[in-house]
Amino acid sequence: MTTEAPIIELKDISYFYASSKTKALDSVSLKIYPGEKIAILGANGAGKSTLFRHLNGILRPSSGQILINGQEITRKNIKQVRQTVGMVFQNPDDQILAPTVEQDVAFGPMNMGLSQEEVERRVAEALELVHMSGFEERSPHHLSGGQKKLVAIAGILAMRPRVVVLDEPTAGLDPLTASQVINMIEEMNLQLGITVILSTHDVDIVPSFAERVYVIHDGRIGAEGTPEEIFSKCDLLRNAHLRMPRIAEVFRLLQESGVDADIQITPSEARNEILRLLRMHA
Ligand SMILES: Nc1ncnc2c1ncn2[C@@H]1O[C@H](COP(=O)(O)OP(=O)(O)OP(=O)(O)O)[C@@H](O)[C@H]1O
């Protein structure tokens, strides 16, 4: 965490869907700092998408305050807010509208009033970043789910936002495509300094991706901390309908069998711990 001011701050946000009489968010407070990689971890129906829809002004809170770059979202600054906070929706079909990939990725930068030359430059750059160069003339609707997701991310990157919010970016993707999408998200954080916030219920992708995790359950923030802190709270995870990462479960089973192992949550830390145990017992 840095000493900089938060780029996103939520103060005591609540949201009530009148149609389903659901309090989807209940006094949610959080702070996101520039350059961070954040995971919002929660089970189905926990409130992740509702939370995200507040971050670029799609929904207005029933109560509480949202500050983007220190400013409340107003009708006047909403365009600027959406250029600061780019949103990648769960279902790429909600986002992809143009007949070709190129036109689709160009949509955002064109709406920003940029010159044709600049739009073309940004489209080429964004497609290269998501490894989709060569797909310019293809119809987005005839791409695979993973490719559609990458085109949707390119469309957001072309606007050069400071923050990218991704709602369940790996949902419905096969394991290889899911890890390619996560790698690509990490690259955009590392190379472009973009703050990344993703939501997921996939506990196995969180440890190697996130620097900080917020656990959301029934519209409330249940915990905040590093992945190590979060995944040491077994009761909290169980109450939130989540679990430990598979790797950590192996170490818990070893502990139950009497092995003096420390619980690890990433493959590389797991390897180090196993090597340590092997050396100890050699
Ligand atoms: N448009 C809506 N109208 C009425 N109720 C809604 C609407 N969208 C969500 N809800 C309700 O609000 C609660 C939170 O839903 P939300 O979609 O934010 O959860 P989520 O964590 O994103 O879930 P998932 O992982 O299943 O996508 C749920 O109880 C849901 O039924």
Side-chain angles (χ1 to χ4, degrees), residues 194-246:
I194 293 175
T195 308
V196 182
I197 310 170
L198 63 76
S199 73
T200 189
H201 46 72
D202 183 349
V203 291
D204 289 309
I205 65 165
V206 171
S208 44
F209 166 79
E211 290 160 350
R212 263 189 331 120
V213 184
Y214 284 94
V215 176
I216 183 166
H217 179 53
D218 274 348
R220 279 186 289 270
I221 300 293
E224 178 272 334
T226 62
E228 287 77 11
E229 288 165 347
I230 294 299
F231 290 118
S232 65
K233 298 176 200 287
C234 295
D235 290 347
L236 170 109
L237 294 170
R238 202 171 308 114
N239 288 340
H241 302 175
L242 298 164
R243 61 166 171 78
M244 287 168 112
R246 290 276 181 235

Side-chain angles (χ1 to χ4, degrees), residues 17 19-20 22 24 43-50 90 168:
Y17 284 109
S19 61
S20 62
T22 304
N44 290 135
K48 304 179 296 295
S49 302
T50 305
Q90 195 168 338
E168 310 225 9

